[in-house]
Amino acid sequence: MTAHAGETARKTGDFYCATCDEKVHATEGDKILPCPNGHKAFETRRNEPDTKS
Ligand SMILES: [Zn+2]
């Protein structure tokens, strides 16, 4: 699953930049911010409470 800066986060979780792997935390209902290096495409989220097993 991928996400892009400017989209609304559907769940709280951490996104990892697809380009530099920087972690960006996103809160449910808030827009996803670009990574600190200015990239806007993210790879899979991790640390989602709903997906812990
Ligand atoms: Zn980046």
Side-chain angles (χ1 to χ4, degrees):
M1 172 157 186
T2 59
H4 292 86
E7 293 179 350
T8 300
R10 301 180 74 174
K11 293 181 182 178
T12 297
D14 292 330
F15 292 82
Y16 286 81
C17 179
T19 302
C20 69
D21 207 36
E22 192 73 43
K23 183 174 78 173
V24 177
H25 185 74
T27 301
E28 180 181 356
D30 284 353
K31 288 189 177 175
I32 302 165
L33 298 176
C35 99
N37 296 314
H39 307 123
K40 295 185 177 179
F42 297 94
E43 296 289 355
T44 53
R45 291 176 297 196
R46 303 173 206 175
N47 301 330
E48 290 183 357
D50 289 354
T51 56
K52 282 181 181 174
S53 60

